[in-house]
Amino acid sequence: MNANATGCYTFDLTGKNVKRGIKSAFLWFFKSKDRNDMQKHEILLHELGIRRSGRLKEKSLIARMEIYAKDGWISLDLSIQVKKWVDQGGDKKILAIKCSTCATQHYKALYGVKEGYKPVLVVTYLKPRKERRDKRDSETCDPRSRCCKRQLDVDFNAVDLNYIIQPRTMSIGYCFGYCDGMDQLMYNHTAVIQSMRWSSPLSGSLREQLKPCCVPIQLKDSFIITAENGVVTRKLLPNVMVEKCGCM
C-alpha cells in the first residue's frame, strides 16, 4: 500500500447500544492546508486487513469523494458500511484515509496529528421503541385544543454553533397550546391561580397576566461532538430537548 498522504486508524464497533440498531455513522477527519488546495482533491477510504507477517494490506475501497477543501473537518457518510460490519459481527476495523492529490507526503502533517487532531467515527443509534412511540404521539397533538409538544429542528450551523460537528441538526421541540382551563395544571400553585382568575373580581389586565403558559415540564440531555482549538470532544448537553409540556 502506498503510504504517501495515508493515515491508518483503528475504530472499535463494540458496545451495548449496537443491539438497538444503527441510524447513521459518519467518519470525521481533519485536513490541513496543502499546496495543491487550489484543485479538487480526491479522498479515498480503504478497509485494511493484516497479513500473516503483521503488515497491513488493503482489503476493499469503502468510499471515494472529491472535495474542494483547504483546512478543516471533513465528513464521510459510512452508515451503510457500518451497518454491514455490525450485521457481520465486526468489532474493530482498521481504516486508511488517503488524499491521492495532496502534495503533503506525511500523514501527521496532512491530517493534523501534530496539532492533536484525530479522526472520529460518530455512530448514532436508533431510539428505543418507547421513545419513538412518544415522538409520534407528540407529532399528532393539536395545539389548538391543548398544551402539547411540537416539532422543532435546529441547524447548528445556521445559529453560529459551528463548533458542534455532530449532530449537525437536532430535534429540540417546543411547547404550544391552550392553557386557560383547569386541566393539565402541573402544580397546586397554578390551580389556585386559575381559581382566582375565574372566581375573584380581578381586573382584566391582571387576569391576563396570571394566565398559565404552556412550557416544558420535562427536558432531556443529548450528547454532541465538538471541535474546538484542535480538540474533538464528546460532551453532554443538558436539558436541551423537550420531553413533555404542561401548563404553569
Side-chain angles (χ1 to χ4, degrees):
M1 182 179 65
N2 182 5
N4 289 349
T6 301
C8 302
Y9 307 92
T10 301
F11 299 93
D12 190 350
L13 299 178
T14 59
K16 62 181 181 180
N17 289 325
V18 171
K19 296 181 180 179
R20 284 165 40 183
I22 292 174
K23 181 179 180 181
S24 65
F26 286 86
L27 175 65
W28 288 85
F29 64 94
F30 189 88
K31 179 198 159 295
S32 301
K33 291 182 179 179
D34 183 83
R35 69 169 181 262
N36 289 342
D37 281 345
M38 296 303 294
Q39 69 181 52
K40 184 183 293 185
H41 284 303
E42 180 186 59
I43 304 294
L44 303 174
L45 183 69
H46 286 89
E47 180 183 357
L48 304 182
I50 303 177
R51 303 178 189 272
R52 290 184 178 180
S53 62
R55 299 187 63 183
L56 298 175
K57 64 176 181 179
E58 291 183 358
K59 289 181 60 177
S60 60
L61 177 65
I62 298 173
R64 175 185 178 275
M65 69 183 302
E66 293 183 341
I67 57 169
Y68 285 104
K70 293 184 178 180
D71 65 326
W73 288 93
I74 300 171
S75 66
L76 276 170
D77 188 349
L78 299 184
S79 302
I80 296 176
Q81 187 62 51
V82 171
K83 289 177 183 178
K84 184 184 299 183
W85 285 335
V86 171
D87 291 341
Q88 294 172 349
D91 48 8
K92 293 184 178 180
K93 294 294 178 181
I94 305 175
L95 303 181
I97 306 171
K98 179 179 180 179
C99 179
S100 62
T101 53
C102 291
T104 306
Q105 297 295 301
H106 203 287
Y107 78 96
K108 288 187 177 181
L110 183 61
Y111 301 122
V113 177
K114 294 181 179 179
E115 290 77 18
Y117 295 97
K118 184 178 180 181
V120 179
L121 182 62
V122 180
V123 180
T124 303
Y125 300 97
L126 293 173
K127 295 180 179 179
R129 290 183 178 179
K130 182 180 183 303
E131 290 188 25
R132 297 201 296 269
R133 185 168 59 250
D134 290 344
K135 181 178 180 180
R136 288 196 298 269
D137 292 342
S138 70
E139 291 173 346
T140 58
C141 79
D142 185 356
R144 294 172 299 178
S145 60
R146 63 188 181 96
C147 171
C148 62
K149 173 187 170 184
R150 303 298 292 171
Q151 186 73 15
L152 178 64
D153 297 329
V154 59
D155 183 332
F156 291 122
N157 285 333
V159 294
D160 294 329
L161 296 176
N162 300 325
Y163 64 91
I164 300 177
I165 62 174
Q166 189 70 18
R168 291 291 186 91
T169 62
M170 181 181 292
S171 179
I172 61 174
Y174 72 101
C175 297
F176 182 75
Y178 181 77
C179 264
D180 211 13
M182 292 299 292
D183 60 338
Q184 292 186 276
L185 303 179
M186 296 310 302
Y187 299 108
N188 289 331
H189 176 270
T190 312
V192 172
I193 291 293
Q194 275 295 78
S195 297
M196 289 180 58
R197 291 183 68 239
W198 296 116
S199 61
S200 301
L202 301 176
S203 65
S205 60
L206 181 56
R207 180 175 286 110
E208 186 62 26
Q209 292 173 23
L210 294 176
K211 182 178 178 180
C213 298
C214 180
V215 297
I217 59 172
Q218 183 176 332
L219 297 162
K220 73 174 182 178
D221 309 335
S222 179
F223 281 102
I224 59 173
I225 305 295
T226 64
E228 298 178 276
N229 301 319
V231 179
V232 177
T233 309
R234 184 172 185 259
K235 296 180 179 179
L236 181 67
L237 194 61
N239 299 327
V240 68
M241 304 172 72
V242 175
E243 281 279 89
K244 293 182 180 180
C245 299
C247 297
M248 294 179 60

